[in-house]
Amino acid sequence: MKPAITVLGTGRMGSALVHALLKAGHHTTVWNRTVEKTTPLVAAGATVARSVRAAVEASEIIIVNVTDYPATTALLRGDIAPALRGKLIVELTSGTPHSAREAGTWAVEHGVTYLDGAIMATPDFIGTEHGTILVSGARQAFDEGKDMFQALGGNVQHVGEDLGLANALDSALLALMWGALFGALQSMAVCRAENIDFSELARQWTATAPVVEGLVSDLIKRTAAGRLAADSETLSSISPHYSAFQHLVELMEVRKIDRTVVDGYDAIFRRAIAAGHLHDDFAALSQFTGKAG
Amino acid sequence: MKPAITVLGTGRMGSALVHALLKAGHHTTVWNRTVEKTTPLVAAGATVARSVRAAVEASEIIIVNVTDYPATTALLRGDIAPALRGKLIVELTSGTPHSAREAGTWAVEHGVTYLDGAIMATPDFIGTEHGTILVSGARQAFDEGKDMFQALGGNVQHVGEDLGLANALDSALLALMWGALFGALQSMAVCRAENIDFSELARQWTATAPVVEGLVSDLIKRTAAGRLAADSETLSSISPHYSAFQHLVELMEVRKIDRTVVDGYDAIFRRAIAAGHLHDDFAALSQFTGKAG
């Protein structure tokens, strides 16, 4: 008999979680602030709870996927807390490492088992083999919930005992993703100013993407190994990067394109060059992303 | 009989060009400011010229790959100019669209045929099927030089008659690449602050890279098509991006990580949201990369 699960929050992502659980044969109870959103789920076999308390009392495992951590706090930390004692909360709401750790402290104080996850997928991937969810917290609790996690996605990974890890890794990967996406926005601004057709850019990007993927991997690996000086395997040192970067800056200046993002790159280049790293590997920049203030 | 070629500038990239030309059977004359750098090329079969004038006089096609456009100007625009009349200059030095167009104007005034190219490869790819060079300028001149271009790389493309196009497209693609690379630097700063092993980041990046490639392609295509409002094919709207982005910013603030680059993203997010695009597709941000001042 598979364990009963409660899902609090049935927006697009929460609903995808519920469908995956139902499909895997879990008795699933749902609650949502706007009850209308649960209607399609009830039609699919879920049980709707009239209150958060009733939802919490219905299962031993409570998955939370609401707007943010303060929303979770508002739902669970009042007089509901005693009803959670001995149960497992799996928090899948997006947030910071700090919020996750803080929730973990609260959980310990109230006799609740707590895992914190980050969903690295759009809702259409939930329940499929490519559904990736990172989970942090006690390994034993993760192992006990394995059956349920496997229903949610084929790629659910325990990333460590520190409750903040899943959210931290989520933010780290998003930082990389936004880098590429905002880079693409800069790129399109250049194309627009220089009358380059976006279809030409798309075509070149398709050809270039594997190179970029390799450069990023190389950057991470060299930084991890501390191989910051240029050597025979260096793909490119800071010097030619910075020369070519000047041309981008000059083009943007001539075309009056906003340089806020590239000025951020420039600050990092300049710090590294001022510290004598002009002829070192691009990875040397990793030492100059800088502590603030 | 293949045409004789002169290569001005034999740094790492210039030397790779010379080796590819020699391999394809072109009689190749070389000149470099520091003559010692030509020694391995002479050993491989190149002829070294004692002066720029002698180098220019030796061939009908002159490839230039020096530090920057001012260096080219210093070499070719003095009393050497008459010796260039009727010849083809292929400028492969990295520069701006403006510099390329300006050089084209000079070339017309001096009876010189001029093509401007951008090498989208590291030297090890030159002469291989994956060697990509973008070339702009008169189509006829490009076609006449086709034999030589094929020796330099399997993927040499004529991108348009406007001489600035190759450099512009180069800068646009580099803007995208730096986006990913500086995103990776931000990502590593987050991992360092949160004690996430770089090998874990590298592993997750390998899994995520195809997703990022797809998101960038989707972003370019939707922007090209003007599909900025969210629709049934929207992968994610600005709203969940901006929520998750707040968590990254909060993490960086708590860990005192320099936010110069992400503040640039924030400015674009805020402009779009202020203009009422919170629930539109991420592609709506393309309208807010902004003209400067």
Side-chain angles (χ1 to χ4, degrees):
Chain A
M1 179 80 184
K2 298 202 173 185
I5 316 274
T6 286
V7 177
L8 303 179
T10 59
R12 269 186 83 209
M13 184 60 85
S15 294
L17 299 171
V18 172
H19 282 296
L21 292 168
L22 290 171
K23 200 175 156 198
H26 290 275
H27 183 274
T28 308
T29 299
V30 299
W31 175 89
N32 195 65
R33 191 164 43 90
T34 318
V35 72
E36 289 72 24
K37 286 203 179 167
T38 63
T39 310
L41 303 175
V42 171
T47 302
V48 64
R50 289 184 196 182
S51 65
V52 176
R53 176 177 294 277
V56 161
E57 286 172 347
S59 316
E60 294 304 301
I61 301 179
I62 321 292
I63 295 178
V64 189
N65 192 252
V66 293
T67 310
D68 51 25
Y69 281 65
T72 303
T73 300
L75 289 181
L76 300 182
R77 294 208 194 168
D79 44 9
I80 303 285
L84 288 162
R85 186 167 290 274
K87 302 197 174 189
L88 168 64
I89 294 180
V90 180
E91 173 66 275
L92 296 180
T93 300
S94 165
T96 64
H98 176 75
S99 306
R101 292 183 190 116
E102 196 270 335
T105 303
W106 177 89
V108 167
E109 287 166 5
H110 291 78
V112 177
T113 306
Y114 182 84
L115 292 174
D116 197 282
I119 301 173
M120 308 297 296
T122 44
D124 47 323
F125 281 99
I126 296 303
T128 75
E129 58 172 326
H130 299 296
T132 298
I133 304 179
L134 310 178
V135 181
S136 46
R139 176 87 214 187
Q140 194 190 333
F142 176 75
D143 288 340
E144 285 170 12
K146 204 151 210 175
D147 202 41
M148 171 200 69
F149 284 125
Q150 272 168 354
L152 299 180
N155 188 30
V156 177
Q157 303 170 28
H158 183 256
V159 292
E161 301 263 333
D162 170 0
L163 278 166
L165 282 176
N167 283 347
L169 198 48
D170 186 21
S171 280
L173 285 163
L174 289 172
L176 215 171
M177 181 197 73
W178 284 315
L181 288 173
F182 281 89
L185 291 172
Q186 302 296 307
S187 187
M188 289 192 285
V190 168
C191 287
R192 196 179 278 135
E194 293 288 339
N195 292 315
I196 294 169
D197 204 280
F198 285 166
S199 64
E200 179 68 27
L201 177 65
R203 193 149 49 95
Q204 297 293 344
W205 165 244
T206 303
T208 313
V211 178
V212 172
E213 179 185 343
L215 286 170
V216 169
S217 293
D218 182 69
L219 172 58
I220 298 171
K221 279 173 198 160
R222 286 191 76 103
T223 305
R227 293 169 54 214
L228 307 183
D231 58 32
S232 63
E233 287 170 16
T234 285
L235 296 172
S236 53
S237 64
I238 292 174
S239 171
H241 271 281
Y242 198 58
S243 294
F245 181 72
Q246 303 298 337
H247 303 143
L248 173 64
V249 170
E250 196 179 320
L251 186 167
M252 292 177 90
E253 193 170 332
V254 168
R255 295 301 188 179
K256 299 196 187 309
I257 300 169
D258 185 280
R259 297 200 304 276
T260 313
V261 171
V262 301
D263 281 350
Y265 308 162
D266 197 37
I268 296 171
F269 270 129
R270 280 170 192 264
R271 274 181 229 141
I273 292 167
H277 294 275
L278 183 62
H279 299 292
D280 284 342
D281 191 275
F282 188 87
L285 295 182
S286 64
Q287 308 308 301
F288 299 90
T289 48
K291 285 269 169 185
Chain B
M1 180 78 183
K2 298 203 173 186
I5 317 273
T6 286
V7 177
L8 303 179
T10 60
R12 267 186 86 208
M13 184 61 83
S15 294
L17 298 171
V18 171
H19 281 296
L21 292 168
L22 289 170
K23 200 175 158 198
H26 290 275
H27 184 274
T28 308
T29 300
V30 298
W31 175 89
N32 195 65
R33 193 163 42 90
T34 318
V35 72
E36 289 73 23
K37 286 203 179 167
T38 64
T39 311
L41 302 174
V42 171
T47 303
V48 65
R50 291 185 198 180
S51 65
V52 176
R53 176 177 294 276
V56 161
E57 286 172 346
S59 317
E60 295 303 302
I61 301 178
I62 322 292
I63 294 177
V64 188
N65 193 252
V66 292
T67 311
D68 51 24
Y69 281 66
T72 303
T73 300
L75 290 181
L76 300 181
R77 295 208 191 167
D79 45 8
I80 303 284
L84 288 162
R85 184 166 291 274
K87 301 196 173 188
L88 168 64
I89 293 179
V90 179
E91 172 67 273
L92 296 181
T93 300
S94 165
T96 65
H98 177 75
S99 306
R101 292 184 189 116
E102 196 271 334
T105 303
W106 176 88
V108 167
E109 288 165 5
H110 292 78
V112 177
T113 306
Y114 182 84
L115 292 174
D116 197 281
I119 300 174
M120 308 296 298
T122 44
D124 46 323
F125 280 100
I126 296 302
T128 75
E129 58 171 326
H130 299 295
T132 297
I133 305 180
L134 309 177
V135 182
S136 46
R139 176 89 215 187
Q140 195 190 333
F142 176 77
D143 287 341
E144 284 170 14
K146 202 149 210 175
D147 203 40
M148 172 200 67
F149 284 124
Q150 270 166 356
L152 298 180
N155 188 29
V156 177
Q157 304 170 28
H158 182 257
V159 290
E161 301 262 333
D162 170 0
L163 278 166
L165 282 177
N167 284 348
L169 198 48
D170 187 18
S171 281
L173 285 164
L174 289 172
L176 215 170
M177 182 198 71
W178 284 315
L181 289 173
F182 281 89
L185 291 172
Q186 303 296 308
S187 187
M188 289 192 287
V190 168
C191 287
R192 195 179 279 132
E194 293 287 340
N195 292 315
I196 294 170
D197 205 279
F198 285 167
S199 65
E200 179 68 28
L201 177 65
R203 194 148 50 95
Q204 297 293 344
W205 164 243
T206 303
T208 313
V211 178
V212 173
E213 179 186 344
L215 286 171
V216 169
S217 293
D218 182 69
L219 171 59
I220 298 171
K221 280 173 197 159
R222 287 192 74 104
T223 305
R227 291 169 54 213
L228 308 182
D231 58 33
S232 63
E233 288 169 16
T234 286
L235 296 172
S236 53
S237 64
I238 292 174
S239 171
H241 271 280
Y242 198 59
S243 294
F245 180 72
Q246 304 298 339
H247 302 143
L248 173 64
V249 170
E250 197 180 319
L251 187 165
M252 293 177 88
E253 194 170 330
V254 168
R255 295 303 189 178
K256 300 199 187 304
I257 301 169
D258 185 281
R259 296 200 306 275
T260 313
V261 171
V262 302
D263 280 350
Y265 309 162
D266 197 37
I268 295 171
F269 269 129
R270 279 169 191 264
R271 275 181 228 140
I273 292 166
H277 293 274
L278 182 63
H279 299 292
D280 284 342
D281 191 276
F282 188 87
L285 295 181
S286 63
Q287 308 307 301
F288 299 89
T289 48
K291 286 268 170 186

